[in-house]
Amino acid sequence: MSRTIWDEGHEPGGRVVALAVALALTVAVIDSLLAGRVEVLFDVCFVLICTGVALLVHPRDFFFVGVLPPLLMLGIFGLFALSSRSGIGAAHGDGFLQALISALGHHSIALFIGYALALACLVIRRNRLLRGTITRGSATSRPHPPARPQAYHPTSR
């Protein structure tokens, strides 16, 4: 059986979360430098990052990626709201919370699409895992049958 993109995920959850944060923050900074604020470049890259980490993560760490997109966007825009409110399109007099909510509202479509694609990838990978086409340890072998319970034999002393 040939390996597919769904069979490839093998990275630990912590590593893919760190990768996603680094990539998203880098893209947000570059987009704000190029356009004056976070705009479409960030949105497109955010969707690609969410989908990519859903394909990279090891099956035992699906939860990390399942909750990542909204927390990632909230964290990125929270940093911008603290440091450079104009970088996320906030008005001059907006406070931290207003700037954060405005930024999340402006980028809600990217959040929705990125989250939906990440969850769809995880569901497809989970279903393939449950059908037995991939295993938790190896992407090409079938899962081993469960071990039979051993009969209890008290040891004589």
Side-chain angles (χ1 to χ4, degrees), residues 16-111:
V16 296
V17 168
L19 175 66
V21 169
L23 289 174
L25 190 55
T26 301
V27 170
V29 168
I30 289 172
D31 195 18
S32 69
L33 290 174
L34 292 177
R37 65 184 203 153
V38 177
E39 289 185 344
V40 177
L41 176 65
F42 174 79
D43 290 347
V44 171
C45 291
F46 181 81
V47 170
L48 293 174
I49 290 167
C50 291
T51 307
V53 296
L55 295 173
L56 279 175
V57 72
H58 193 280
R60 74 173 174 266
D61 295 331
F62 278 175
F63 177 77
F64 288 102
V65 175
V67 298
L68 178 66
L71 297 175
L72 178 62
M73 189 172 276
L74 183 69
I76 297 295
F77 291 150
L79 289 174
F80 270 84
L82 284 173
S83 63
S84 171
R85 292 189 182 133
S86 63
I88 53 176
H92 177 67
D94 286 351
F96 170 79
L97 191 57
Q98 179 62 40
L100 183 61
I101 291 171
S102 294
L104 290 172
H106 285 111
H107 299 276
S108 60
I109 293 173
L111 176 60

